[in-house]
Structures are given as structure tokens and as C-alpha cells.
Amino acid sequence: MNLISLLKSSFHPVILGHHNADPDAVCSMIAVADICRKLNPKSMPKLACDDVSRLSMQVLDRFAPTAEILETVEDGHDLVILVDTNSLLQLGPKLKDVVVNPERTLVIDHHEPNPELDSIAKHAVVRSDRYSACEIIAGLYDEVKLDIGADIANLLLTGMLFDTRRFLYADEDTLVAATRLVRNGADYQACMNSLAIKPSRSERIARLKAAGRLQVHNIDNWIIVTSRIKAFEASACRGLIGMGADVAIVSGNPSNGEVRLSSRSTTEFYEKTGVNLGSDVMEPLGEFIEGKGGGHPNAAGANGRILGDKAALRAVQLIRDAIKREPSPESDESS
Ligand SMILES: [Mn+2]
């Protein structure tokens, strides 16, 4: 059965996105519902996600204030459409059991196909070479010969902007699709604005204070910065990386007398030095500050009781040691 007859044959489709649905997921879902209604005017699509991200709520407020996204689905649907995911696990606990009949399941997604895909759905539009589900769906409008209205164009462009990180990840097809959405009435600036989240006043002040108290350490041409604030350490680290640091370590001092350290590094730093902020830095640091530490290669933290300044300097020492241990192409060139 082709896509058009599948969608035309459905009167009660349910459209599912992944849990903590991001703007690409929710915007795709609303567009797919629009396609269903246009192909079959009697169709009454329902949308559902385990939960919707805060940013997605902001986008919906702006472009689809009346859209209803449910958290659970009752029986009685005749087609299940998975959007922006092809894995049941990603649907989250409340929805993973909705998908039961592969004959009546369609997947529209841009992630790598999951091995279980064939057993989930007999119908799939999975294009892992595309940068967003919204881009695929913009193409589907052509395929089924439907016009894209301005409302949907805004949603699809916003989903594309989000998943491509404002076209950092894109190719010619992506840009052509985006241009066509603008021609169909999408307001580029409004789409960009709908994705802007301004941190709270206290968070912004914390970031600025962290910048004001900065110490810069040069290790093998890498710029490692340390600072201290009361709260919002992780946000401050991201801010300092944005200002140009390769690694940022910020200690926070919450009122309970504990010390919290947060750290971030650039992908380039991790790729070229091999220094893992979790296992090389924050884990041993956790012990040093009489607490616990760990995390990921580019983002890690520790909690303990030793003063923040001392702890941050120790973290710098651990990075210095780790850089010496790891073969670093950068330092070979510069030495
Ligand atoms: Mn996506």
C-alpha cells in the first residue's frame, strides 16, 4: 500500500513522538496530522507524547496554541504513526505499548534505523541522511501533492532550525527545503525567536560573575579556565566555553556548606587530548574533596567538602597530568 492510500484509509490515526519531545518531534507531529486531515477530511488524528520539552511548549505557544498533545492513548485508533523516532523504547513508558500492529504502523524518522524497525512497522519513511524529521515531512507534502500553509511552514522550519542547530548541520536539500518553507509563508525571524530561551536573571548574573572571577591556565596551548560562584555552575561553564575556553571548571558553594564542581570541555579538546573530564578529572577529584565525582568526557562534576578554589586548582593539575599521559598531536606540533 502506498503512503497516500495508507493515510487516506485512516479515520482515527494516532501520531506519536519520542519522550521529552523536542521541537522537531512536536512540529513534525502537527504537520503529519495536517497531512492526514487533508488526505482524508473525515480523519480525526490524535497526537501523543510521554512528555514535551519546555522549549517545545514555547514553540507551540507561538505557532500552534490550540494543538492538543495527549500523554496517553485510548484504544480505537486505526493507524499508528511514529515520528522522529523508530524505537519503542524512545516512546517512553506510557506509550510504548500503543504500537501493536505492524500492518497499521508507519514510521517517519531521520535517525539510524533500529534493528527492530521491521517488526514494528510495515510502512516506513526513514531517511537517516536527512537532518530533521521536519525536513522529511516538508518533502512528503510534495510527494502526496499537498500545499503547505503558512502555519505548518512555520512549524516545519522551526523544527528544522532546532535539529540542524540553526543549519550548522545541513546540505543543499536542507537549505532548499527551508527556502521553500519561507516562500510558503514561514516567518524566518519568528521561527528563530520561538527557539530562544533567555535564562533567568539570577542565572545570567551568576554567569557574568563567573566571567569576572576568572583564572586562566595555559596548558600546552589549551585554555583552561577556573572560576567560582554560588550556584548555576554548569550554566557558567557553558558560558565560559562560549567565550572561548577549551575547558571550564566552576565551583559552586550552595548554602549547605557543600562544594560542587562542574566542568565542560569542547569536543575538539576531548578529541585531540583524549582527556575525559569524567574518568580522568572529576572521579579522582571527587575523592580528593571527600565526596564523589564522575560524568561524561565533555561534561562532568563532583560534590564534596573541600574548598572550591583548592578543588578547582587540583582539577587543573589533574588535567595537566592527563594531557601529559595521553599522546597529544597538538602538543607534539607545538613543542
Ligand atoms: Mn529529530
Side-chain angles (χ1 to χ4, degrees):
M1 194 187 290
N2 72 21
L3 197 63
I4 297 183
S5 25
L6 180 72
L7 296 174
K8 272 189 174 169
S9 71
S10 170
F11 292 84
H12 296 283
V14 52
I15 302 163
L16 307 178
H18 55 79
H19 69 95
N20 195 24
D22 59 21
D24 186 37
V26 293
C27 294
S28 300
M29 291 164 67
I30 295 171
V32 170
D34 177 62
I35 295 179
C36 289
R37 273 190 230 101
K38 281 182 170 154
L39 288 176
N40 176 359
K42 289 196 176 137
S43 175
M44 305 208 342
K46 288 210 159 82
L47 314 180
C49 286
D50 202 85
D51 52 351
V52 171
S53 79
R54 200 178 122 218
L55 183 58
S56 297
M57 297 300 295
Q58 181 175 302
V59 169
L60 293 178
D61 278 348
R62 177 68 182 79
F63 292 124
T66 59
E68 204 188 345
I69 299 188
L70 309 167
E71 287 186 5
T72 52
V73 175
E74 285 168 22
D75 287 345
H77 42 83
D78 54 17
L79 179 67
V80 175
I81 308 176
L82 262 68
V83 178
D84 198 29
T85 179
N86 63 62
S87 136
L88 297 188
L89 205 65
Q90 289 297 319
L91 293 178
K94 281 180 265 174
L95 293 171
K96 65 176 172 30
D97 299 325
V98 174
V99 184
V100 285
N101 180 1
E103 298 290 342
R104 302 296 300 172
T105 304
L106 164 66
V107 171
I108 304 173
D109 188 28
H110 68 113
H111 296 96
E112 286 300 320
N114 171 339
E116 65 178 2
L117 177 61
D118 285 342
S119 64
I120 297 175
K122 285 272 172 294
H123 315 275
V125 183
V126 174
R127 297 272 315 269
S128 41
D129 64 327
R130 292 300 89 214
Y131 297 89
S132 62
C134 283
E135 182 182 341
I136 298 175
I137 289 158
L140 284 184
Y141 274 86
D142 286 341
E143 213 169 291
V144 300
K145 301 194 171 55
L146 290 173
D147 290 334
I148 302 180
D151 292 355
I152 296 292
N154 275 319
L155 289 164
L156 290 175
L157 183 57
T158 302
M160 287 177 65
L161 283 165
F162 178 77
D163 258 30
T164 61
R165 295 183 59 194
R166 322 299 191 266
F167 300 124
L168 187 61
Y169 307 108
D171 61 13
E172 186 185 349
D173 289 352
T174 312
L175 298 174
V176 168
T179 306
R180 294 191 48 212
L181 291 171
V182 172
R183 291 206 177 121
N184 279 284
D187 178 339
Y188 184 78
Q189 215 54 54
C191 293
M192 289 286 279
N193 291 343
S194 78
L195 291 170
I197 281 196
K198 191 174 180 182
S200 69
R201 184 184 154 79
S202 44
E203 182 171 346
R204 283 180 287 134
I205 288 179
R207 281 178 161 225
L208 294 167
K209 282 189 177 165
R213 295 173 186 158
L214 205 63
Q215 284 200 311
V216 179
H217 314 258
N218 275 297
I219 304 178
D220 274 9
N221 282 332
W222 296 106
I223 303 169
I224 320 281
V225 301
T226 56
S227 189
R228 61 189 163 79
I229 40 178
K230 239 182 123 47
F232 299 109
E233 318 76 73
S235 171
C237 283
R238 289 194 299 273
L240 297 173
I241 294 286
M243 288 173 73
D246 295 301
V247 181
I249 301 158
V250 177
S251 64
N253 196 355
S255 39
N256 64 5
E258 245 196 19
V259 164
R260 286 191 313 228
L261 278 111
S262 194
S263 62
R264 292 287 184 282
S265 65
T266 60
T267 320
E268 187 198 8
F269 176 79
Y270 175 57
E271 280 173 2
K272 293 198 173 158
T273 64
V275 175
N276 181 323
L277 290 181
S279 56
D280 292 329
V281 182
M282 286 297 158
E283 266 179 40
L285 187 73
E287 258 172 59
F288 175 79
I289 62 175
E290 297 173 10
K292 244 183 137 45
H296 306 281
N298 292 110
N303 293 16
R305 301 193 301 121
I306 303 283
L307 277 182
D309 285 346
K310 211 172 155 191
L313 287 179
R314 176 71 177 192
V316 174
Q317 188 56 46
L318 286 164
I319 291 172
R320 196 188 308 272
D321 295 348
I323 289 178
K324 294 256 148 62
R325 262 199 325 271
E326 307 279 348
S328 160
E330 273 294 276
S331 62
D332 288 348
E333 279 164 34
S334 58
S335 59

